[in-house]
Amino acid sequence: MSVPILQPGTGPLPGDHYLPSRPDTVLWGRLPCETDAAVLRIQPGETVTIDTVSHEGILEDQGKDPRAYFGGHGVADDDVLTDAVEIAASLSRDPAADGPHVVTGPIHVAGAEPGDLLKITVVELALRAPYGVISNRHGKGALVGELPRAEGNVSVFAPVEERDGTLCGVLPVVEGGERIVAFPLAPFLGTMGVAVAGSERPHSVPPGIHGGNIDINLMTEGASLYLPVQVAGALAYVGDPHFAQGDGEVALTALEAPLRATLRFDVVPREEARRAFGAVSGPLVRTDEYLVPTGMDPDLNVAMRACVRAAIDLIQARWGLDEHLAYAYLSAATDFDISQVVDIVCGVHARIREADFAEVDRG
Amino acid sequence: MSVPILQPGTGPLPGDHYLPSRPDTVLWGRLPCETDAAVLRIQPGETVTIDTVSHEGILEDQGKDPRAYFGGHGVADDDVLTDAVEIAASLSRDPAADGPHVVTGPIHVAGAEPGDLLKITVVELALRAPYGVISNRHGKGALVGELPRAEGNVSVFAPVEERDGTLCGVLPVVEGGERIVAFPLAPFLGTMGVAVAGSERPHSVPPGIHGGNIDINLMTEGASLYLPVQVAGALAYVGDPHFAQGDGEVALTALEAPLRATLRFDVVPREEARRAFGAVSGPLVRTDEYLVPTGMDPDLNVAMRACVRAAIDLIQARWGLDEHLAYAYLSAATDFDISQVVDIVCGVHARIREADFAEVDRG
């Protein structure tokens, strides 16, 4: 089970459209806003295959030269993605003002209007390379001021290897040692969002109503993300590809590594959205098993309460439960998880089992 | 699949010892301390079958008469547990000063000394009755000041019924309606702890280094809880039985309902404990799949960070990882979950997959 290198445009491109990541189709450190021109225009229901690019390996503190950086970890020149090389060479960001993420888009989805929901379904995620990076930087992560210990930032290179038929990220026990710690991959996109109104591009780090860097590790193949459309055409974008991430993302980053993502974009009109989910005021995830409302705030206590409110609202709107019964149900039956605590705005998401409501007639 | 009523002492009692809950074997609202006399003395490795009693249905705001309270929900007199009736009739607590929980113990485990770990393994949990209660009270729960809406406290009665071969708690969509919302049971004990030093009995609500009301829903059959022994003999106790609870326990309580718990108590001597887990400074859970360190604090942000520190310490001590590699591993591979946010002290627990370290020689 080897991982072929998916250079831009090579290999299977299953989507109705293909969107590469090039200096003119990405933003580095900022998210699209209303006044940004679409780099692709599609009809609702169409799929797009997007070659996403990880910021890890191209950042300033890593030398801003992926061939040199990954080469230092034994990666051959041909196995470094040319789009990452091109972006690092052509674009700049202001580390003091901008986030680290490379986001690809925006994509204009015909007919999407404010009040509708944009539904982004993860059809397929293919690894583009058999390696990634996990970073911890000063002033960031769950243990700000404690880690990293030394002066420099810490980036841990992590190749992908097969273990018992499963692709895993592998780490050594001690720096330079044999790579005998192995954790299974569960790829997803850390960032999926819609453009905000106005002419100011948001910082790429804090997630919000627009989605963005939500870092919810349930967004694997088959999952859908519903986002309240903010501007005409939605102007969707994705990036921050992850091979694996734990809830919390405690050191600062996931196993950051490039994915070829095939996504379907659908528009859920306002009235249909309201009947299905009520007044969705932030990102809503759906998996085979769960409906997953979210809460976000710089204070994790506040994010948790926001998520509880969103969960009660969803259950009331979707299944008609009395408020006190919705609250009781959540207390006994729903896990509230920490999405991440390292993106300025913390996230909490609630896994509501849809099967528990199978007998409820939604009218 | 019916649930027989397990009155005290009736039905299977598989443990080496049997400990009923009677006015002289329980505390109501307070936890045992060093000066409390043991109600049972056992050897390490022995099992005890304990009839635990739920506080829900016997509290003051529910009338402090379980026959009347549950009778009002259609439960026959014979189906109300006589130990709950006896405790409600014989004991009192000060609602302003004490917690709500009934805890059974303390159990003296021969040879346990401060510095050792007490290992409590959940061998078997049997439902004692086919019904329970989920409550929300003013000034408590995740949404303090918002819910409950009306003046009185809210207690939702939830019977247990079979759905497709699975025992479920069932709720209606609207008050008094047909019970068509059904969530699967996953029973565990909300409270498992050891006595604290000194002569002051702790309040039963906030969890701590001693364990207590940790409300970690991974503590189902097969799981073990390791607690730092605080006083000679450990003086263990359990209570707060739950049929099901979501991470967060947002409304205030789980589906609170009585369990017959068969538990094994082992002592892990100080040196062996240190080799296996490092300096365990709080509750540590172990399941078939995970090692689960915990963090606790009134502020969820602080509890999260405490859990990250505990997780790094555990990985360093157990598998010898460099600190920065442990941190990177946790970021990419470990879910940090919200145990609960409603017990004055919030809890976070981290699910570290032991299989990821299968190749590491622990020497």
Side-chain angles (χ1 to χ4, degrees), chain A residues 142-143 146 149 173 175 182 246-247 251 253 299-301 305 309 321-324 327 331-332 335-336 356, chain B residues 142-143 146 149 173 175 182 245-247 251 253 299-301 305 309 321-324 327 331-332 335-336 356:
Chain A
L143 298 180
E146 298 172 47
R149 298 272 176 202
V173 167
E175 194 59 46
D247 280 342
T253 83
D299 182 332
L300 188 57
N301 301 282
R305 291 198 291 272
R309 287 186 205 101
L321 264 67
D322 284 349
E323 186 181 45
H324 69 288
Y327 200 29
S331 198
D335 287 327
F336 285 75
D356 293 1
Chain B
L143 298 180
E146 298 172 47
R149 299 274 177 199
V173 167
E175 193 59 47
Q245 182 213 294
D247 280 341
T253 81
D299 182 332
L300 187 58
N301 302 281
R305 291 198 290 273
R309 287 186 205 101
L321 265 68
D322 283 349
E323 186 182 45
H324 69 289
Y327 200 28
S331 199
D335 288 327
F336 286 75
D356 294 0

Side-chain angles (χ1 to χ4, degrees), chain A residues 248-283:
Chain A
E249 205 187 16
V250 295
L252 175 63
T253 83
L255 172 51
E256 309 275 335
L259 292 169
R260 173 168 290 173
T262 299
L263 309 171
R264 190 175 62 244
F265 296 85
D266 294 284
V267 177
V268 187
R270 176 195 294 259
E271 283 314 309
E272 183 186 334
R274 185 167 284 273
R275 278 196 304 276
F277 307 120
V280 174
S281 59

Side-chain angles (χ1 to χ4, degrees), chain A residues 81-107:
Chain A
L81 296 178
T82 59
D83 44 3
V85 173
E86 188 184 9
I87 287 165
S90 312
L91 295 183
S92 280
R93 61 187 266 279
D94 175 358
D98 302 327
H101 309 96
V102 176
V103 297
T104 308
I107 300 169

Side-chain angles (χ1 to χ4, degrees), chain B:
Chain B
M1 192 180 344
S2 70
V3 176
I5 305 292
L6 294 180
Q7 293 289 0
T10 68
L13 298 167
D16 298 324
H17 303 266
Y18 168 62
L19 179 59
S21 287
R22 291 184 317 233
D24 63 332
T25 64
V26 305
L27 294 178
W28 193 3
R30 292 270 161 184
L31 304 177
C33 63
E34 187 173 10
T35 51
D36 277 307
V39 300
L40 177 68
R41 301 179 80 88
I42 65 170
Q43 294 299 312
E46 291 185 329
T47 56
V48 185
T49 295
I50 307 173
D51 279 335
T52 67
V53 171
S54 178
H55 51 280
E56 292 291 333
I58 69 171
L59 287 172
E60 294 78 2
D61 64 354
Q62 296 162 330
K64 207 169 180 282
D65 175 350
R67 284 207 181 97
Y69 181 77
F70 290 117
H73 291 288
V75 176
D77 263 14
D78 287 352
D79 292 349
V80 177
L81 296 177
T82 58
D83 42 5
V85 173
E86 187 184 10
I87 287 165
S90 311
L91 294 184
S92 279
R93 62 187 264 279
D94 175 358
D98 301 327
H101 310 95
V102 176
V103 296
T104 308
I107 300 169
H108 181 282
V109 184
E113 292 294 337
D116 300 339
L117 292 180
L118 182 70
K119 177 185 182 188
I120 308 177
T121 302
V122 181
V123 178
E124 187 184 315
L125 296 172
L127 313 189
R128 299 186 61 202
Y131 56 83
V133 176
I134 312 164
S135 284
N136 175 224
R137 295 187 168 88
H138 285 278
K140 300 187 169 75
L143 298 180
V144 168
E146 298 172 47
L147 295 176
R149 299 274 177 199
E151 263 188 35
N153 293 329
V154 171
S155 286
V156 174
F157 177 77
V160 169
E161 295 178 8
E162 189 195 322
R163 294 280 194 277
D164 300 329
T166 300
L167 287 176
C168 292
V170 293
L171 294 171
V173 167
V174 293
E175 193 59 47
E178 196 186 346
R179 295 181 175 277
I180 56 177
V181 178
F183 54 94
L185 303 189
F188 71 103
L189 295 168
T191 293
M192 308 176 82
V194 292
V196 298
S199 61
E200 193 179 339
R201 292 172 171 166
H203 193 282
S204 75
V205 169
I209 292 168
H210 58 280
N213 184 28
I214 58 175
D215 284 327
I216 294 177
N217 63 19
L218 300 171
M219 290 298 315
T220 49
E221 281 181 0
S224 295
L225 175 64
Y226 295 85
L227 294 168
V229 173
Q230 308 287 307
V231 305
L235 298 179
Y237 50 88
V238 301
D240 191 25
H242 293 166
F243 280 6
Q245 182 213 294
D247 280 341
E249 204 186 19
V250 295
L252 175 62
T253 81
L255 172 52
E256 309 275 336
L259 292 169
R260 173 170 290 175
T262 299
L263 309 171
R264 191 176 61 244
F265 295 84
D266 293 284
V267 177
V268 187
R270 175 195 296 257
E271 283 314 308
E272 182 185 335
R274 185 168 285 271
R275 278 194 305 275
F277 307 120
V280 175
S281 59
L284 173 69
V285 170
R286 193 173 196 176
T287 72
D288 280 352
E289 195 172 0
Y290 302 112
L291 262 176
V292 185
T294 54
M296 298 180 196
D297 194 85
D299 182 332
L300 187 58
N301 302 281
V302 178
M304 174 67 178
R305 291 198 290 273
C307 188
V308 178
R309 287 186 205 101
I312 292 174
D313 289 349
L314 175 65
I315 288 179
Q316 287 190 273
R318 184 170 182 81
W319 292 297
L321 265 68
D322 283 349
E323 186 182 45
H324 69 289
L325 295 172
Y327 200 28
Y329 168 81
L330 291 168
S331 199
T334 297
D335 288 327
F336 286 75
D337 298 329
I338 297 167
S339 319
Q340 52 72 28
V341 295
V342 297
D343 293 329
I344 304 172
V345 167
C346 298
V348 172
H349 58 274
R351 284 181 283 144
I352 301 172
R353 259 188 316 272
E354 290 200 65
D356 294 0
F357 299 88
E359 290 187 40
V360 180
D361 178 5
R362 296 192 46 244

